Amino acid sequence: MTGPFFFTVFGEPGTKRPDHDEIFYSGWQSPSNIAIVKYWGKKEDQLPVNPSLSMTLNLAVTRTSLTAVCDEIRPGLVAVNGDHDHPFIPKMQGLLNRLVSEIPCLGLLSFQAETSNTFPHSTGIASSASGISAFALCLLDIACNIMKVELPPDEWRQAVSIVSRLGSGSACRSVFGGFAVWGTSPLLPGSSDEFAVSVNSRVHPAFTSLHDAILVVSAKQKEMPSTKGHQSMNTHPFLPGRILQANRNLGDVLHALSVNDFEQLCQVAENEALSLHALIMSANPPVILMQPATLEIIRRVREARKSGLPLFFTLDAGANVHILYPAEAAPEVEKFIREELSGFCENGRVIFDSCGAGPVRLTANEAIFPG
Ligand code: DP6
């Protein structure tokens, strides 16, 4: 159901065409995000079965630049980092194809992308939220340029969020700095299954500097791609209960964030992380993504909280652990992580990040170094 939106923004498809000798350029930096209420399961055209809430990261970003020229004989994404067979091409081309059906002028162009992540490849950090949102920003920027459309900031972010979602669900939340919700919730007027919305106006200032330390238990490629995991929810016996739980947890997280109730945030965030893995372990086929080190880190985080350290954990669909804590507790929490937890990580690797401000436009001079 993206058609009417893009029709409103760009008008009649096929009414504008790129000039033959023009070179189009766009560059964007876009962050990854960590979900506190998890998106797990989808329906119809890449829509979520439940609403999710995430915090956008600051340092874990993808930088992408896109150059396009008119080429009706060889349209599409022809190279990434100069490589015509780059492994990112199928997913990016899939999103481009999807967008061409809404904005046909993009189908007349040949694109080349340069892209790199600030976080090392071998850390197991999901790059699809940052990578797909950075690509969506560039694509839509070029579309606006050709169609001579200038969108007001709110409409621009909404359009980018829709396009990002079509490429990867979690990517639609990265378009916003701070905290964002994707998925319709009766608690949030204006929320939608088609795009994410910012909830920063409801978040107590204490949380806007929340830190996130990513403990790299395993840097291996995911044993189960997210797309397969989402699919497994279609026939999962716990699906109805999960939808109720996620909606209730979203309400509790929004409440905790607005009244600065750190204890409530800890309880709900950890319940979400463990529920995600419980769903994965009880799916058909069942998958176990946690490793012994994951469980030991979780145990120690809970012990440390009991003895007064303000911190909680969350997990993606993998073995790595995210530990979140307030900025003012950073010295003591980071000492605890270095001394007591980093030994459970692959090569002792911990990536220290925090809540970030969202995507940034890059000028043509800001070089992208393929990583
Ligand atoms: C566990 O966004 O990677 O990280 O839409 O198929 O690209 P696709 O899936 P993806 O799923 C992310 C799942 C999660 C939870 C979350 O980020 O909300």
Side-chain angles (χ1 to χ4, degrees):
M1 285 289 285
T2 50
F5 177 82
F6 285 101
F7 183 82
T8 316
V9 172
F10 292 109
E12 188 78 52
T15 49
K16 300 198 184 70
R17 296 172 65 86
D19 285 341
H20 254 280
D21 44 5
E22 213 172 329
I23 298 173
F24 298 94
Y25 170 85
S26 176
W28 283 88
Q29 166 179 307
S30 192
S32 189
N33 66 71
I34 177 66
I36 296 176
V37 178
K38 309 291 179 182
Y39 145 54
W40 201 241
K42 39 181 147 179
K43 58 188 182 191
E44 299 158 37
D45 190 10
Q46 185 77 359
L47 302 174
V49 294
N50 65 268
S52 57
L53 179 147
S54 65
M55 181 178 89
T56 293
L57 297 178
N58 185 34
L59 301 176
V61 300
T62 298
R63 294 199 181 103
T64 297
S65 69
L66 198 59
T67 316
V69 291
C70 225
D71 187 345
E72 291 175 39
I73 297 162
R74 235 181 131 211
L77 181 62
V78 294
V80 171
N81 297 345
D83 179 353
H84 297 277
D85 299 311
H86 196 282
F88 294 172
I89 290 180
K91 193 157 188 171
M92 291 165 86
Q93 181 65 51
L95 175 57
L96 176 57
N97 292 345
R98 184 66 184 72
L99 203 54
V100 165
S101 64
E102 313 281 350
I103 312 171
C105 67
L106 291 175
L108 306 172
L109 298 170
S110 166
F111 294 88
Q112 302 229 26
E114 294 291 327
T115 188
S116 69
N117 292 332
T118 51
F119 45 97
H121 270 308
S122 54
T123 53
I125 298 181
S127 58
S128 84
S130 55
I132 289 293
S133 55
F135 185 52
L137 282 152
C138 294
L139 278 178
L140 210 58
D141 204 13
I142 289 179
C144 286
N145 193 348
I146 298 169
M147 306 291 276
K148 313 264 183 289
V149 168
E150 207 170 309
L151 295 176
D154 284 354
E155 266 182 58
W156 161 252
R157 275 188 287 268
Q158 182 171 317
V160 175
S161 188
I162 292 175
V163 175
S164 301
R165 181 203 100 228
L166 294 171
S168 176
S170 56
C172 77
R173 300 182 308 233
S174 281
V175 174
F176 302 90
F179 294 81
V181 166
W182 171 38
T184 307
S185 162
L187 303 170
L188 276 178
S191 59
S192 169
D193 283 349
E194 299 194 19
F195 51 85
V197 293
S198 168
V199 289
N200 290 333
S201 60
R202 296 167 171 256
V203 174
H204 190 280
F207 289 115
T208 54
S209 55
L210 206 62
H211 282 224
D212 176 14
I214 305 157
L215 279 70
V216 184
V217 167
S218 169
K220 277 208 214 91
Q221 280 284 349
K222 283 195 201 167
E223 191 188 313
M224 176 197 54
S226 299
T227 307
K228 277 244 150 61
H230 291 296
Q231 260 169 23
S232 75
M233 286 306 287
N234 294 341
T235 52
H236 203 296
F238 299 163
L239 179 64
R242 168 60 192 156
I243 294 172
L244 289 174
Q245 179 197 38
N247 277 279
R248 196 189 58 224
N249 281 348
L250 176 68
D252 289 350
V253 168
L254 285 170
H255 176 262
L257 288 174
S258 68
V259 301
N260 191 13
D261 187 339
F262 192 75
E263 188 48 37
Q264 187 183 29
L265 185 61
C266 295
Q267 298 309 328
V268 189
E270 294 187 356
N271 173 259
E272 273 292 309
L274 296 176
S275 298
L276 170 70
H277 280 258
L279 290 167
I280 293 169
M281 286 192 279
S282 52
N284 184 14
V287 180
I288 301 174
L289 297 172
M290 286 192 280
Q291 293 189 4
T294 313
L295 290 169
E296 184 55 23
I297 291 170
I298 289 174
R299 193 185 68 74
R300 289 180 182 222
V301 165
R302 295 185 141 184
E303 284 298 311
R305 189 162 70 243
K306 265 196 215 140
S307 44
L309 267 192
L311 78 176
F312 65 91
F313 71 84
T314 187
L315 307 163
D316 266 339
N320 300 337
V321 185
H322 289 246
I323 297 182
L324 288 92
Y325 47 98
E328 62 275 14
E332 41 174 350
V333 174
E334 288 172 8
K335 182 170 183 285
F336 163 72
I337 291 172
R338 285 199 177 93
E339 289 177 1
E340 308 237 359
L341 304 180
S342 62
F344 296 100
C345 301
E346 206 169 280
N347 302 319
R349 200 168 218 173
V350 180
I351 295 167
F352 292 98
D353 208 335
S354 59
C355 184
V360 179
R361 184 191 284 279
L362 302 172
T363 64
N365 307 335
E366 285 168 306
I368 313 269
F369 300 106

